[in-house]
Structures are given as C-alpha cells and as structure tokens.
C-alpha cells in the first residue's frame, strides 16, 4: 500500500514529529510513503518525494515542517480539487495524511468527497479546532509567548508603563487566554468576548494605578484588532505611557515542547493506524483526556468555545 502525507496552512512546532510518526509507523507496517511538499500546492505541482525511516531522522526536535507548507488559494476551486484527486490516484496514493488546521481539514474533506481516503492530524498554534481539545503546536506557542511576555513585564514594571501585547490565534482567543492566566496580566482581550469598550479599559487602568499598582499588562488576541492603535488611544485617554508589542511569528517557530513532541507522535501514529486498519476519512482528536478519532465531515461541524471555568477563575485572579 502507498500513502501520502503533507503539511498545510500555518506551520506549527510538532508537525515534524507527527510526520516522523506517520512515516516510521507506515514503514513498520510495510507501506510505501510519499511526502507531498508545500501542502495542497504540492499535489497540483506533483512535488512528491519518497520518504523512508531515514528521511525523517533528526526532525523530531525541530520546529517548522520538513515538507514545507503553503496556503494554496487555487485549491478552493472545485475543478482544482477534482484535478488534485486525479493526481493523487495517478501517483498510486491510496490514502493521504493531512497535518494542518481547520482550513487544511476543509480541503481534506473535499478530497474525501472525491473518493480519496484522508486522515487529518490537527496541527495549528491557534488551538481553534472544535473537534479536539488539543492541536499540535499550541503548547510550544504558549510557552514561547509566555516567556516573551515575562520579559515585557520586567521592562514595563521598571518604567511603570502599561502595554498591549498582541498574540496570534486568528479569530480564536486560546493563546491569549492561556498567556493571560499564565502571565498574570491585568487584562485579556479575547475575540470571543470583547465588547470594544475602550473607555472601560481606560477606567480600569486608572483605577489600578490609583490603588498603587503601576503596571498594567494587557494581552490582546490578534482577532480583537490593531494593538498599536489601541495602545495609542489608551495612552491618550489615561495619560499613562502605553506601548504596543506584537509578538508575531516568533510564536510559530522553535523546537517543540515535550508535550507537543509526544502528542504529535501519538497523533501521527494513530493516523497511520487508522489507515492500516481500513478506516476511511477520519481525524485524530484528543478529547476529555483521551485520544480518539471522528469522521472528518462531522469534525468540521463542531464549534469551539473558550473554557468557561478558566474564564471565571481568571476574573478572580485579576486584581
Ligand atoms: P490552516 O489549515 O492552518 O487553518 P488555512 O486556513 O490557511 O490554514 O488553510 C490551508 C489551506 O487549506 C488553504 O491554503 C487551502 O489550500 C486549503 N483550504 C482552506 N479552506 C478550504 C476550503 N474551504 N475548501 C478547500 N480547501 C481549503
Ligand atoms: O493559523 C496560524 C497563524 O499563525 C494565525 O495565528 C495567524 O493569524 C496566521 O497564522 C498568520 O499567517 P501568516 O503566517 O500567513 O501571516
């Protein structure tokens, strides 16, 4: 049997660990593995390489993706998806492992509807997939962001400044929520909840200062909007020196944490096992403390909310 594997969408630390697990388990089970470079673009370009156990040596500890990744807008077209399914068949690829986020799974679901057996492995720093509590890369990203925010705290405290620190997450607030709690910030702005009331933030900044606490750290998810503009307006409203810091792509890079390496290894090996066991078009998930899998089309219907208990608790801790 021949299987294909690709990484797609924003890269995430741990994608390489998942790829390694897919390849090594497939080799043990007697399969041939073809790596498709640059995500869905690589199918269209037939940018396909043979992979064996040695090809994935020394990648477990590295960030990024050895197979490269891409955002392929052409692949949104139905006729291009037909063409991609034909190319996969032409190369004898009987099943395709897609390591990526929500968009990549939507692409995989299109291929599934065209008769390709796809297996999704959730990998995105955003942790925004409803079907799973965990996505590969999230743990590394929040630890990278947390360390950076700690450093911003030192300088903000020394200058008695306020700051708005923008973290990634697309339209989800998971990274901001975890850093908000983990860094003990004064305020977190989450797209799922933010009401846009900047006057209220300014009042809280002034009240905090009046109490004698001369630091005000705001973690803002990128989905909330422009952090620089917000910092400028808060400075104007309060008279408090307020800096904007945009953490950006450092959150996507770096060596994966142990958790990301281990969970990616488990998820990659599970995707291969599903193929080996004759299952069709599933996604590997981690839900309520257990690894499992579900139908890819069903997985796309599940919405994700922020954990209410975390939100309630964080309100008590911010003082
Ligand atoms: P992620 O997988 O990290 O969410 P994107 O949203 O950028 O990243 O999606 C990655 C790629 O998946 C896109 O560039 C496109 O090729 C494909 N894709 C995204 N959404 C769809 C869709 N609705 N239908 C088909 N393919 C999609
Ligand atoms: O989905 C991962 C992510 O890093 C988001 O948090 C962010 O909105 C986006 O990708 C940035 O994408 P790009 O690297 O294409 O600018």
């Amino acid at each position: 049997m021949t299987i294909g594997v690709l990484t797609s969408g924003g890269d995430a630390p741990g994608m390489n660990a998942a790829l390694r697990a897919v390849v090594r388990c497939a080799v043990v089970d007697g399969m041939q593995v073809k790596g498709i470079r640059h995500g869905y673009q690589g199918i269209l370009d037939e940018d396909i390489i043979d992979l064996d156990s040695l090809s994935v040596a020394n990648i477990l500890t590295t960030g990024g993706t050895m197979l490269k990744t891409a955002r392929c807008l052409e692949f949104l077209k139905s006729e291009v998806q037909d063409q991609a399914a034909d190319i996969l068949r032409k190369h004898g690829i009987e099943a395709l492992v897609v390591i990526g986020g929500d968009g990549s799974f939507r692409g995989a679901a299109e291929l599934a509807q065209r008769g390709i057996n796809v297996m999704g492995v959730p990998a995105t720093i955003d942790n925004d997939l409803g079907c799973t509590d965990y996505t590969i890369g999230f743990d590394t990203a929040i630890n990278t962001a947390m360390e950076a925010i700690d450093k911003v705290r030192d300088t903000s405290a020394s200058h008695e400044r306020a700051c708005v620190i923008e973290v990634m997450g697309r339209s989800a607030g998971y990274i901001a929520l975890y850093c908000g709690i983990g860094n003990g910030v004064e305020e977190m702005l989450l797209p799922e909840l933010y009401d846009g009331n900047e006057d209220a933030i300014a009042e809280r900044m002034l009240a905090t200062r009046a109490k004698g606490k001369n630091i005000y750290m705001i973690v803002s998810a990128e989905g909330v909007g422009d952090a620089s503009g917000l910092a400028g307006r808060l400075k104007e409203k309060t008279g408090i020196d307020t800096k904007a810091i945009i953490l950006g792509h450092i959150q996507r890079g770096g060596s994966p944490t142990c958790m990301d390496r281990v969970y990616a290894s488990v998820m990659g090996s599970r995707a291969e096992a599903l193929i080996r066991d004759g299952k069709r078009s599933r996604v590997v998930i981690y839900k309520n403390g257990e690894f499992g899998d579900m139908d890819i089309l069903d997985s796309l219907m599940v919405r994700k909310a922020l954990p209410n208990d975390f939100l309630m608790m964080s309100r008590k801790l911010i003082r």
Side-chain angles (χ1 to χ4, degrees), residues 6 16 47 65 78 87 90-91 127 129 149 151 158 161 171 182 185 188 191 229 287 297:
L6 59 78
N16 278 330
D47 189 354
T65 160
S78 177
I87 293 171
K90 185 178 100 183
H91 284 267
N127 199 22
L129 282 165
I149 296 168
K151 293 185 169 83
S158 304
R161 277 174 179 152
S171 53
V185 300
M188 49 177 126
K287 202 80 185 164
L297 289 174

Side-chain angles (χ1 to χ4, degrees), residues 10-11 71 124-126 128 168-170 175 222 249 252:
D11 63 305
R71 302 197 199 269
T124 163
I125 64 162
D126 303 338
D128 60 348
M168 278 188 168
R170 208 177 277 197
I175 298 177
E222 65 178 339
H249 287 79
R252 283 236 300 262

Side-chain angles (χ1 to χ4, degrees), residues 13 21 38 82 90 119 125 206 218 244 254 275 286 300 309 314:
H38 303 109
D82 291 341
K90 185 178 100 183
M119 294 296 164
I125 64 162
L206 289 169
I218 302 172
I275 297 170
Y286 180 77
L300 295 172
D309 52 341
S314 69

Side-chain angles (χ1 to χ4, degrees), residues 268-281:
S269 67
R270 280 188 163 247
E272 185 277 338
L274 288 165
I275 297 170
R276 180 199 62 203
D277 296 344
K279 300 284 176 354
R280 289 197 69 82
S281 298

